[in-house]
Amino acid sequence: MSLNFCFIGAGNLATQLAKALQLEGNFITQVYSRTEKSAKELGEILSVEYVTSVDSINRSADVYFVALKDSAVEEVLSQMDFEDKLVVHCSGSLPLSILDNHSKNTGVFYPLQTFSKTRNVDFRTVPIFIEANTPENETILTNLAAQVSGSVQLLNSESRKALHLSAVFACNFVNHLYNISSEILKSKDIPFEVLRPLILETAQKVQDMTPEAAQTGPAIRFDQNIISAHLKELEQNSDYHQLYSLLSKGIFEHHKRLE
Amino acid sequence: MSLNFCFIGAGNLATQLAKALQLEGNFITQVYSRTEKSAKELGEILSVEYVTSVDSINRSADVYFVALKDSAVEEVLSQMDFEDKLVVHCSGSLPLSILDNHSKNTGVFYPLQTFSKTRNVDFRTVPIFIEANTPENETILTNLAAQVSGSVQLLNSESRKALHLSAVFACNFVNHLYNISSEILKSKDIPFEVLRPLILETAQKVQDMTPEAAQTGPAIRFDQNIISAHLKELEQNSDYHQLYSLLSKGIFEHHKRLE
């Protein structure tokens, strides 16, 4: 079964997902974004029409992917009438029910990955979490997800919200810690690249170990000399100081409970 | 030039470094650890003598590697007289000068990686940072490091301390965030493995991008709806709540400065 798709939103996720679906032979009819630049960029990548006004979104697609930032979803949806077309959002944190008043056929298609526009991702390894308002729509979306990914699972809105929260810690916050490391190094003119093997190994370790078993460093050893010296180094930056204290305490207490 | 090594300490780093040096054809004469179990384990891995009393450490090695946790270094060293043998510590945070009273020949050999006893690391990719009290000792240690690693650099004690601090953020704290993610998932019976592709991609992204360019997520978009919902989810755990606030604020403020 070949379906036609319209993308409402042209950000990082929309770009990567639309490309992956198109590669599998699916037909993208149109791309909408509120910003001309994003609409044009994705329209050109996919060689499809792009529009910047909600009124110009055509009614000919079978499935509408809403891939906007959460705070924009309701506003854009309120201007649309999808009748009985399948409308799908891609948000970790929004419930399925947010689509209730907009169509008789609704679903969620949530790929758990960090997407950037210019970096291609191997979609086969990206877990996709599906939810839908009927078993039929569940099947449509599950089959669709299986076209691009080797890991497709059903998940309800409440669990998806927790999954998204866990991803914020494991990805967005982790990346910010990389950034803090980079700033600390800059103060001594050490290039960030020296940390890259360590960063990669830290992530690779938990590919076959649990994070508990993988933990190393001064906090788990409760090496008070180092911890005090590090806190002293961070005295000038109260946020970093507070983060260091909280995270060290967390590591120590967690592993104490395990003993 | 073939050298004989003695390892004082038999933890994660000592195990991996001693194995890597032995693989290159170097001779390990002896292993010391305060704990019988660790001493025996490493002694058996390397097929060398192991001892658990400082008095039994022999004087026949050319280089003594002190790979103990920082808080134990001074106590063990105070019981030793190395005369003019080259004594090297492997700590990120201790200065070279801590060895001043223990030998005329001193150095630091600091491999920047997270080591576990049972997980083999490809030492070729591990950056090693060298410091020594004379140019001759610097050369000995630089050559030695180049046997096992493709990345060897000189670094003074002050900069090494900042490097170690940055590594605590990029590795130990990052791993603790993985652990927090795992706990959040557990509360909904979602297996940790769903996060593994995300964790790996997050680390892989910064192998050729800066962490600044790689940042994604609700905080950088300032998606207040999601942030508020997540904070509500974390209400029961004040440490996680505080971490979420601090890290989100940090991401948002950092990227606002860049705009």
Side-chain angles (χ1 to χ4, degrees):
Chain A
M1 180 182 58
S2 173
L3 295 171
N4 294 336
F5 300 100
C6 173
F7 270 83
I8 299 174
N12 299 345
L13 165 60
T15 301
Q16 296 300 332
L17 178 58
K19 280 167 68 179
L21 286 170
Q22 202 182 46
L23 262 178
E24 292 301 318
N26 297 289
F27 192 60
I28 318 283
T29 60
Q30 205 184 30
V31 169
Y32 158 87
S33 170
R34 289 160 301 163
T35 49
E36 170 86 16
K37 185 169 170 284
S38 297
K40 185 164 186 280
E41 262 175 26
L42 185 53
E44 285 175 355
I45 288 172
L46 302 171
S47 305
V48 305
E49 184 194 13
Y50 62 89
V51 296
T52 56
S53 112
V54 173
D55 297 334
S56 312
I57 297 177
N58 68 38
R59 300 297 182 266
S60 66
D62 302 301
V63 183
Y64 290 80
F65 275 100
V66 181
L68 299 162
K69 71 176 201 173
D70 287 13
S71 52
V73 169
E74 291 208 71
E75 197 207 318
V76 173
L77 284 178
S78 68
Q79 305 169 56
M80 291 285 302
D81 176 14
F82 297 99
E83 295 165 8
D84 57 359
K85 297 297 178 64
L86 179 50
V87 183
V88 175
H89 77 64
C90 302
S91 157
S93 285
L94 294 178
L96 173 62
S97 60
I98 200 171
L99 302 172
D100 281 354
N101 296 329
H102 302 287
S103 173
K104 275 173 233 146
N105 293 297
T106 59
V108 179
F109 188 104
Y110 178 55
L112 183 66
Q113 190 49 283
T114 167
F115 297 102
S116 298
K117 281 188 188 176
T118 53
R119 186 179 159 85
N120 287 326
V121 159
D122 177 12
F123 241 96
R124 301 301 315 162
T125 65
V126 178
I128 298 179
F129 297 88
I130 298 296
E131 187 179 12
N133 72 330
T134 66
E136 292 73 24
N137 290 330
E138 220 172 73
T139 303
I140 292 172
L141 293 177
T142 302
N143 290 342
L144 190 60
Q147 279 187 29
V148 291
S149 167
S151 165
V152 182
Q153 290 160 70
L154 298 175
L155 197 73
N156 66 32
S157 291
E158 197 202 333
S159 293
R160 190 174 57 253
K161 198 163 139 189
L163 179 60
H164 185 216
L165 177 59
S166 79
V168 168
F169 276 91
C171 168
N172 309 147
F173 290 170
V174 159
N175 188 75
H176 187 56
L177 294 188
Y178 299 158
N179 207 16
I180 293 174
S181 302
S182 167
E183 293 210 330
I184 294 169
L185 291 181
K186 244 180 237 162
S187 71
K188 302 285 178 199
D189 291 320
I190 304 173
F192 176 69
E193 65 181 38
V194 301
L195 282 179
R196 286 184 167 135
L198 176 66
I199 285 173
L200 196 57
E201 171 68 6
T202 304
Q204 276 169 342
K205 263 173 115 167
V206 297
Q207 298 302 307
D208 43 43
M209 293 167 92
T210 64
E212 262 166 20
Q215 189 69 53
T216 57
I220 190 174
R221 297 192 304 263
F222 199 59
D223 211 324
Q224 193 61 59
N225 295 350
I226 301 190
I227 295 172
S228 304
H230 283 168
L231 284 171
K232 200 158 177 301
E233 289 272 299
L234 296 171
E235 256 172 2
Q236 302 304 313
N237 188 318
S238 73
D239 283 353
Y240 291 0
H241 191 275
Q242 217 180 331
L243 270 177
Y244 189 103
S245 295
L246 265 172
L247 289 163
S248 289
K249 187 179 82 138
I251 292 171
F252 181 68
E253 286 175 357
H254 182 86
H255 289 271
K256 211 171 164 182
R257 283 202 302 277
L258 297 177
E259 273 167 13
Chain B
M1 180 183 58
S2 172
L3 296 170
N4 293 337
F5 301 99
C6 173
F7 270 83
I8 299 174
N12 299 344
L13 165 60
T15 301
Q16 297 300 332
L17 177 58
K19 280 166 69 179
L21 286 170
Q22 201 182 46
L23 262 177
E24 293 301 319
N26 298 289
F27 192 60
I28 318 283
T29 60
Q30 204 183 31
V31 169
Y32 159 87
S33 169
R34 289 159 302 165
T35 49
E36 169 86 18
K37 185 169 169 286
S38 298
K40 186 166 187 281
E41 262 175 24
L42 184 52
E44 285 175 355
I45 288 171
L46 303 171
S47 304
V48 305
E49 184 194 12
Y50 62 90
V51 296
T52 56
S53 113
V54 173
D55 298 334
S56 312
I57 298 176
N58 67 40
R59 299 298 182 267
S60 66
D62 302 301
V63 184
Y64 290 81
F65 275 102
V66 181
L68 298 161
K69 72 177 200 171
D70 287 14
S71 52
V73 169
E74 291 208 71
E75 196 207 318
V76 172
L77 285 177
S78 69
Q79 304 170 58
M80 291 285 302
D81 175 14
F82 296 99
E83 296 165 8
D84 56 358
K85 297 297 180 63
L86 179 50
V87 182
V88 174
H89 78 63
C90 302
S91 158
S93 286
L94 293 178
L96 172 63
S97 60
I98 200 172
L99 301 172
D100 281 353
N101 297 327
H102 301 288
S103 173
K104 276 172 232 147
N105 294 297
T106 59
V108 179
F109 188 105
Y110 177 54
L112 183 65
Q113 190 48 284
T114 167
F115 297 102
S116 297
K117 281 190 188 175
T118 53
R119 184 178 160 85
N120 286 327
V121 160
D122 177 11
F123 241 95
R124 300 301 317 161
T125 66
V126 178
I128 299 179
F129 296 88
I130 298 296
E131 187 180 11
N133 71 329
T134 66
E136 292 72 26
N137 290 329
E138 221 173 72
T139 304
I140 292 172
L141 292 177
T142 302
N143 290 342
L144 191 61
Q147 279 188 30
V148 291
S149 167
S151 165
V152 182
Q153 290 160 70
L154 298 176
L155 197 73
N156 65 32
S157 291
E158 197 203 331
S159 294
R160 188 174 59 254
K161 200 162 138 188
L163 178 62
H164 185 217
L165 176 58
S166 79
V168 168
F169 277 91
C171 167
N172 308 147
F173 290 170
V174 158
N175 188 74
H176 187 56
L177 293 188
Y178 299 158
N179 207 17
I180 293 175
S181 303
S182 166
E183 291 209 331
I184 294 169
L185 292 180
K186 244 180 236 163
S187 71
K188 303 285 177 199
D189 290 321
I190 304 173
F192 176 69
E193 65 182 37
V194 301
L195 283 179
R196 287 184 166 135
L198 176 66
I199 285 172
L200 197 56
E201 171 67 5
T202 304
Q204 276 168 342
K205 263 173 113 165
V206 297
Q207 299 302 305
D208 42 42
M209 293 168 92
T210 64
E212 262 166 20
Q215 189 68 54
T216 57
I220 190 173
R221 298 191 304 264
F222 199 60
D223 211 325
Q224 193 61 61
N225 294 351
I226 301 189
I227 295 172
S228 304
H230 283 169
L231 284 171
K232 200 158 178 302
E233 288 272 299
L234 296 171
E235 255 172 3
Q236 301 305 312
N237 187 319
S238 72
D239 284 352
Y240 291 180
H241 191 276
Q242 217 181 329
L243 270 177
Y244 190 104
S245 296
L246 265 171
L247 289 163
S248 289
K249 188 179 82 137
I251 292 171
F252 180 68
E253 286 175 356
H254 182 84
H255 289 271
K256 211 173 163 179
R257 283 201 303 276
L258 297 178
E259 273 168 15

